[in-house]
Amino acid sequence: MKKVCVIGHFGFGENLLNGQTIKTKIVTKELDKQFGADQVVKIDTHGGAKALPSVVFQMIKAFRECNNIIIFPAHNGIKIFVPLCNSFNQFFHRKLHYVVIGGWLPSFLKDKSYLKKGLTKFNGIFVETTTMKNALHDVGLDNVTILRNFKDINPLKEEDLNMNIFEPLNICTFSRVMKEKGIEDIINAVKEVNEKYQKTIYALDIYGPVDDQQTDWFDELQKSFPTYIKYKGMVQFDKSVEVLKDYFFLAFPTRFYTEGIPGTILDAYAAGVPVVASKWESFNDVVDDGLTGIGYEFADYKDLKQKLEHIYENPNEIIDLKKSCINKAEDYLPQIAIKVLLNELYTER
């Protein structure tokens, strides 16, 4: 018997840099290290409905061969793979695990009693934050464990931190480029602060894949960019520290209230770069306000702008956070974070 089968959005042969694909690959890579790649069966759900017949065939084979089944579905996938796994398990009696990506699951389940019932049959549901664990407990799920998001990247050494303060202060975003990530908020705030002081205080670089449904919006937005705002394209997830380390801070102006532990913040910590972030639901699980970053009220543009002005007038407050960021990054190393999942996989049913 093989140790584990992973069912998730790998996008084999594609250069996909969305959070779902990255997390699926990162966790699976660590499982390969722990068990050996020959003990980890991988089923790629990329392709949606067209790929489903092939996926189902592969799943039946995997249930025959593997002791543990791990799924990584998003909103649409959970409605398919939870019932499928439970149906197959009536015959095969394997250990079922669900690794949740992001923080959307509790609200998604509130009016879906059939899915809640299906998830009670899983051995473990692994979520990123205490906030999520408590919210799932409130909807009736007690088989929930915290598995911190993690990345296989080496934090900078203290002596390599960029402690310089130069104008303009170079800042960036490092996420999907879409309205819901608050991209317009940080663009407009930078513009208004620079205009207020009548000089280029902040220079903003925007990284990340543009959402397929919002390319027209972003194309139009770029037409209004002054010279100090630039779109820099995509960065491979293993090059993030190299790109981020010279920025003054990372802006994370999300308007997704149910974010989990954003991988971009882990990148920033490893690079010794503090974050200026909107206080989404799980903010306090990820950011130590005043220690690894500075928060502003959720979706409060006025507060964001005030924070940018305060930081400009007190730049050493950001510099003072850098060492805490690389210390915090240690909490999200794979060999530390993965232990809770491994304990469940090693336990006999």
Side-chain angles (χ1 to χ4, degrees), residues 189-202:
V190 164
K191 283 182 179 179
E192 290 192 26
V193 171
N194 286 351
E195 288 167 5
K196 176 179 178 178
Y197 289 89
Q198 297 185 328
K199 60 178 180 176
T200 303
I201 292 167
Y202 289 107

Side-chain angles (χ1 to χ4, degrees), residues 85-187:
C85 285
N86 282 323
S87 295
F88 294 151
N89 223 28
Q90 293 181 43
F91 303 98
F92 295 104
H93 309 294
R94 305 305 182 206
K95 293 183 70 179
L96 303 179
H97 318 274
Y98 173 18
V99 176
V100 184
I101 301 167
W104 53 272
L105 184 62
S107 58
F108 184 81
L109 289 177
K110 283 183 179 176
D111 60 347
K112 297 177 178 63
S113 57
Y114 72 99
L115 275 179
K116 282 187 284 186
K117 184 177 179 180
L119 285 171
T120 62
K121 299 176 182 178
F122 274 55
N123 294 81
I125 301 169
F126 295 87
V127 301
E128 297 176 358
T129 66
T130 303
T131 303
M132 287 181 63
K133 181 178 180 180
N134 293 339
L136 288 173
H137 183 270
D138 290 343
V139 299
L141 292 173
D142 296 322
N143 52 342
V144 183
T145 301
I146 296 172
L147 171 64
R148 284 178 169 170
N149 204 358
F150 60 84
K151 284 198 168 184
D152 189 10
I153 48 178
N154 295 318
L156 287 185
K157 304 294 184 185
E158 185 176 348
E159 58 268 25
D160 295 326
L161 292 174
N162 180 7
M163 309 297 278
N164 298 314
I165 301 173
F166 295 117
E167 288 187 24
L169 301 171
N170 290 318
I171 67 174
C172 67
T173 64
F174 207 76
S175 65
R176 268 188 302 161
V177 179
M178 58 192 308
K179 295 176 183 178
E180 294 84 354
K181 288 290 187 179
I183 299 298
E184 281 184 282
D185 287 346
I186 189 64
I187 288 171

Side-chain angles (χ1 to χ4, degrees), residues 18 49 54 61 88 94 102 124 162 169 197 208 211 238 243 265 278 290 333:
N18 59 77
S54 173
K61 187 171 184 289
F88 294 151
R94 305 305 182 206
N162 180 7
L169 301 171
Y197 289 89
D211 186 272
D238 57 348
V243 170
I265 292 182
S278 173
L333 293 176

Side-chain angles (χ1 to χ4, degrees), residues 241-271:
V241 170
E242 182 181 333
V243 170
L244 286 172
K245 62 185 176 65
D246 290 324
Y247 283 96
F248 187 61
F249 67 74
L250 172 91
F252 188 70
T254 186
R255 285 178 172 260
F256 278 121
Y257 190 62
T258 57
E259 295 270 6
I261 299 182
T264 182
I265 292 182
L266 308 191
D267 293 325
Y269 287 164

Side-chain angles (χ1 to χ4, degrees), residues 254-318:
T254 186
R255 285 178 172 260
F256 278 121
Y257 190 62
T258 57
E259 295 270 6
I261 299 182
T264 182
I265 292 182
L266 308 191
D267 293 325
Y269 287 164
V273 176
V275 299
V276 173
S278 173
K279 291 184 178 179
W280 76 97
E281 183 179 33
S282 297
F283 172 88
N284 290 323
D285 285 290
V286 187
V287 181
D288 298 324
D289 205 355
L291 192 63
T292 62
I294 295 173
Y296 67 92
E297 293 306 312
F298 181 75
D300 187 334
Y301 174 76
K302 182 178 179 182
D303 194 24
L304 168 60
K305 198 168 70 168
Q306 288 174 345
K307 291 295 191 294
L308 293 188
E309 292 175 7
H310 176 83
I311 289 167
Y312 165 64
E313 293 167 0
N314 303 273
N316 282 315
E317 289 187 9
I318 291 292

